[in-house]
Amino acid sequence: MSDITYSSVDNEVSDILNKRFVTSFRNGYIKANDVVLPVYFKKFGQRIQDMEIRDDDVWVCSYPKTGTTWCQEMTWCIANDLDFEGAKQFLPERFPFLDHTPLFDYEKVLPEKPDLKLPLYVSDSITYINELKSPRFIKTHLPYKLLPKKLRDQSTKAKIVYVARNPKDTCLSYFHHCCLLEGYTGNFEDFCKLFTSDSLCFSPFFDHILGYWNRKDDSQVLFLKYEDMKQDLRTVIRQTAQFLGKDLADDQVLVLEDHLSFESMKNNRAVNYEPVIEINKTHNLIDANGTFMRSGTVGGGKQKMSPEFINIFDEWEEKCLGKSGLKF
């Protein structure tokens, strides 16, 4: 029996989704237990539910564009005793993205582009992760309720680091990301409509955050905020190290802080996804320009939005988070 119920994405902005966000590798959307995902996810949903989880797994979970890559690199470096030589390996190889394959359906693209060779972490991310040696480091954008069953029931000692970000900045960053890497061709205002109507992949947005926030007191869950990382990265590094059972000296914290600076990350090909952008350009998969790491600031979303959308976001946030105790 399937653990996932599928339904259609049918709302007032579905036409934007279907006109501006369907590509050669993304041919439509569905809801999986009320979470928006590409249709292709149906081939992988149950495999994800049934995954084996190991005691020494470390998962970084997030809604897209909330500081995931930053959090991954921090977590990996701490857990691996600041092995900066090992950190030169491409991040998706040492810290693979579980939902990569369900997000990008290349089945029709590959026969037309014989020169396009996909590594296993792209073509079958679940198999790639299942075959990794321990300890495994795994990234996912899935909400808590779609995580593998054995991760949700905490029958192992696996750890989850979750990172959240305020909705306006998440929306702006996700917009640029989707134009650059996922084939969105609409404008920012239409993207705001998709975002606030919970019509984008991995939405509903606030349900995603609250699913993990409500487990922040679990010993195996660490809840972080992007804004805290920007304001006081040293404290977040120490907090994460304690969670992972690592003891960092003050000089180690400073070295890691420098490694994790925005300029360092932006110029680091192991984490800045420039190789992926180059592949998209070479094979004409996406017609957009930009960089994966764009500005890394707090408050940019509000500057780019119309007053109307600022009000919509503010009212939406108050409605969804008002009683939760979580503030950005």
Side-chain angles (χ1 to χ4, degrees), residues 159-161 219-222 238-245:
K159 292 186 177 337
I160 292 173
V161 180
S219 61
Q220 290 165 230
V221 177
L222 175 64
R238 291 190 178 98
Q239 185 182 3
T240 307
Q242 182 179 11
F243 176 69
L244 296 174

Side-chain angles (χ1 to χ4, degrees), residues 167-175 188 191-192 195 305 313:
K168 296 187 191 78
D169 288 351
T170 301
C171 180
L172 178 62
S173 186
Y174 201 13
F175 165 69
F188 182 50
F191 194 86
C192 288
F195 192 94
M305 282 176 191
F313 269 81

Side-chain angles (χ1 to χ4, degrees), residues 11-30:
N11 57 30
E12 69 278 5
V13 294
S14 297
D15 59 324
I16 300 175
L17 199 60
N18 294 322
K19 287 179 183 176
R20 300 299 181 193
F21 214 162
V22 170
T23 72
S24 60
F25 51 78
R26 178 82 55 79
N27 56 13
Y29 299 86
I30 51 162

